[in-house]
Structure formats: C-alpha cells, structure tokens
Amino acid sequence: MRNPAADDGAAIREFLSSLADALAGSAEPPVKAMETRIRGAVDAAGADMDRMPRRLPACSYLPAAIATARAASGAIARLMDAFAALEPQLCWYCRTTTGPHASDNWADGHANAVIIGPNGVRSRPGLQIGISLLAPHVRYPDHSHPPEEVYLALSSGRFQHGTAPWFEPGIGGTFHNVPNITHAMASGAAPFLAIWCLWSAGASRH
Ligand SMILES: [Fe+2]
C-alpha cells in the first residue's frame, strides 16, 4: 500500500538542507563530514513505500519540544518547521531492547523515528538519520552501535558517552560518538528532542 502521507519530496529536501545548515556551525571534522554527507543525500532515492505513518503515546510531547527548539535560533526554527512538515510521514517506534541504567518509565516514555534509512522517508547507502523524543524525567538505556554518530541537540537534555561525565550541549549543540562507544541520553523536567545521524558502510538502527 502506498504511504498516504508521501509527498513530492519537497519536505524531505528542506529538512535535509536545514539540518545540514544547522550542523554547519560546528568546526569539528566529524560533524563537518556528516554535514557533507547530508547535503549529498538531499536528492536521495525514495525509501520503503509500504511504510505507514504511526505515532506513539510519547509523541504527545512533540509540540512542546518543537516549540522550545523553534525559539532557540533562526536556523533551528527553520529546521523545526521542516521537521514539522515531514513528521506526518514518520513511523515512530520504540527501541526493542533495553540496557543498563534505563529509568523505569523509559519504554513508554520515548519514541524514535527513522527519517533517512530503513522504514524512513528516503534511503541513502551508509547513512541513517533519525530523531529521538523523551518524555520528561526519562533516562534512555546505555547502548552502542557500530556506526559513528553525530547528534544535534534540540532541547536542554543531557548526554553521556564513554567514560566522560554527563554534559548538556544546549539547543543547536552537536557532538560526535565514535563507533561502538557506549552512550545514553536523559531528559529533565522538559521533553527531550535530538536528531542523530549514523554513518557506516553497514549502518544499523538506533
Ligand atoms: Fe546512538
């Protein structure tokens, strides 16, 4: 069945262009490399057309999270406008496996969606782009994956990777995870929103 929310591609092109622009402020080489890959994906081929849009209970926090992010800067506001236009096409899902240190409410308190990659809006070899939403006071489980990763924070949530202490990039802040590093994220009193960009020859689901 064709996805009834599929459009002519304008929404995904604007999302990818505005995401690349949002990453452009970083001088970190891994972030610059990801920005280049994202610009190269703007005209990526269509993905699984059997995909059906779906929202989860945690998606009720999405309007508040988007509104907070939108107020941060012009570049993030543009990205959030692009994301909001694209969101009706997304198939939100819960992570199927847990991990150490997850809060008791994490399973019902989160939602993930792939934008570029399997079950996403477009496909691009080696590249996956997705988004994670946490309800307030949720601690996502420790996890790791072979693809390297660039995060773009869209809320005031906290992150942890490797043996480093927890840190807060702030809205519009970016950071890089090397392959297979253990990492986690957590919300405070507000909903948490972040975009993740995975890169490897064999990218796997977040
Ligand atoms: Fe990750």
Side-chain angles (χ1 to χ4, degrees):
M1 180 185 297
R2 182 177 170 80
N3 174 3
D7 66 6
D8 62 0
I12 185 66
R13 285 195 298 273
E14 170 60 9
F15 172 79
L16 292 171
S17 295
S18 59
L19 175 59
D21 287 350
L23 297 181
S26 172
E28 267 197 277
V31 180
K32 301 298 290 181
M34 194 66 77
E35 176 199 341
T36 299
R37 293 182 193 112
I38 292 168
R39 292 198 193 284
V42 169
D43 294 315
D48 177 11
M49 296 311 289
D50 290 334
R51 167 184 49 85
M52 292 295 291
R54 180 183 66 177
R55 290 193 176 109
L56 297 175
C59 294
S60 62
Y61 292 99
L62 198 52
I66 288 174
T68 298
R70 188 181 266 136
S73 73
I76 297 299
R78 178 186 163 214
L79 175 60
M80 289 295 88
D81 286 347
F83 173 72
L86 190 64
E87 191 276 333
Q89 299 185 43
L90 301 183
C91 180
W92 291 90
Y93 68 93
C94 288
R95 181 179 174 87
T96 54
T97 56
T98 188
H101 309 304
S103 58
D104 290 342
N105 60 353
W106 87 274
D108 292 334
H110 83 283
N112 296 326
V114 173
I115 298 168
I116 298 291
N119 218 27
V121 179
R122 291 286 187 274
S123 62
R124 181 78 170 174
L127 181 65
Q128 282 196 49
I129 299 173
I131 192 160
S132 290
L133 172 67
L134 304 183
H137 305 297
V138 169
R139 202 281 199 193
Y140 202 77
D142 286 356
H143 62 287
S144 63
H145 39 68
E148 67 173 274
E149 180 174 46
V150 167
Y151 268 99
L152 173 65
L154 296 168
S155 72
S156 57
R158 296 177 300 129
F159 295 84
Q160 195 274 332
H161 59 181
T163 58
W166 286 85
F167 59 99
E168 186 170 322
I171 298 174
T174 58
F175 68 95
H176 177 245
N177 285 330
V178 298
N180 295 308
I181 193 171
T182 298
H183 56 286
M185 51 199 177
S187 56
F192 169 108
L193 192 66
I195 289 174
W196 36 268
C197 310
L198 300 172
W199 170 255
S200 82
S204 61
R205 209 174 197 201
H206 196 261

